[in-house]
Each structure stands twice: as structure tokens, then as C-alpha cells.
Amino acid sequence: MMRGMNMQQMMKQAKAMQKKMMAEHEELAKQEFIGKAPDDMVTATFTGDNTLVDLKIKPEAVDPDDVDMLQDLVVAAINDGMKQVNDATQQKLGKYTRGMGM
């Protein structure tokens, strides 16, 4: 047992930390992140809980003779948005998992 700290104090601290972590997670879920492809030809909007809520494609990105390019732009925008969500999640919630082997 840790010096000067009984089990009841440890449980109280753990509950307080859990409550704070849940509040920060909820706050993060309300934020929006916009992933962009080169030249903003495609944008993908995500919420902080990794939900894709909007996808916009500029008309000039649509070339029937080059569907592969459009697919690449969509993938780039989605990956950029997801990276933003993951980075923000790590920044906001990573402090709770450091040193836990996760």
C-alpha cells in the first residue's frame, strides 16, 4: 500500500479521474475536424468520435475519365480528418493512459 494513502482515498481519486476523462471525451466528441485533400478538392468532416458527418467534392474533381484520381482524393481527405481526430484524442486523453502499457 502507498504511504499515507488508504484504499478509500485511492478509489475516490480514481473516480474523480474517470469522471474528468469522460467529460473530456464528451467534449472531444462534439468537436469537428475537417480533413482535406490536396487543393481542397475533397473535404471530409468528422466529429471527435470518428463519425464522418459530411463529404464535399468540388465539381472540378469529378473527371469521368479519371475516377482513380477522385478515389485518391476522397481517401486523402478521410485519412487527413481521421489523423486530426486521433491526434486530438491522444493530446486530450493520452495523459490518462501514459504509463499504463497501452
Side-chain angles (χ1 to χ4, degrees):
M1 183 162 34
M2 299 172 76
R3 288 186 205 136
M5 183 177 285
N6 63 33
M7 187 62 116
Q8 188 177 11
Q9 287 172 320
M10 287 174 51
M11 292 298 292
K12 190 175 183 178
Q13 283 183 344
K15 282 187 176 189
M17 184 170 64
Q18 182 181 22
K19 187 175 180 179
K20 185 175 180 181
M21 186 173 100
M22 292 300 292
E24 288 187 22
H25 191 271
E26 288 173 14
E27 179 183 319
L28 182 66
K30 293 176 186 175
Q31 290 180 301
E32 284 194 346
F33 301 86
I34 300 174
K36 298 178 180 184
D39 298 325
D40 295 342
M41 296 294 273
V42 176
T43 59
T45 304
F46 288 87
T47 57
D49 62 356
N50 286 317
T51 301
L52 178 64
V53 293
D54 192 29
L55 183 68
K56 292 185 177 159
I57 301 171
K58 287 187 176 181
E60 56 268 27
V62 181
D63 180 352
D65 295 326
D66 194 0
V67 175
D68 288 340
M69 181 191 72
L70 178 57
Q71 291 169 340
D72 290 344
L73 291 171
V74 170
V75 168
I78 289 172
N79 285 338
D80 182 49
M82 291 185 75
K83 181 181 182 323
Q84 289 180 39
V85 171
N86 290 335
D87 289 349
T89 301
Q90 183 60 37
Q91 182 179 9
K92 193 169 235 4
L93 302 177
K95 61 188 166 202
Y96 297 107
T97 58
R98 281 188 201 107
M100 293 184 179
M102 295 180 170

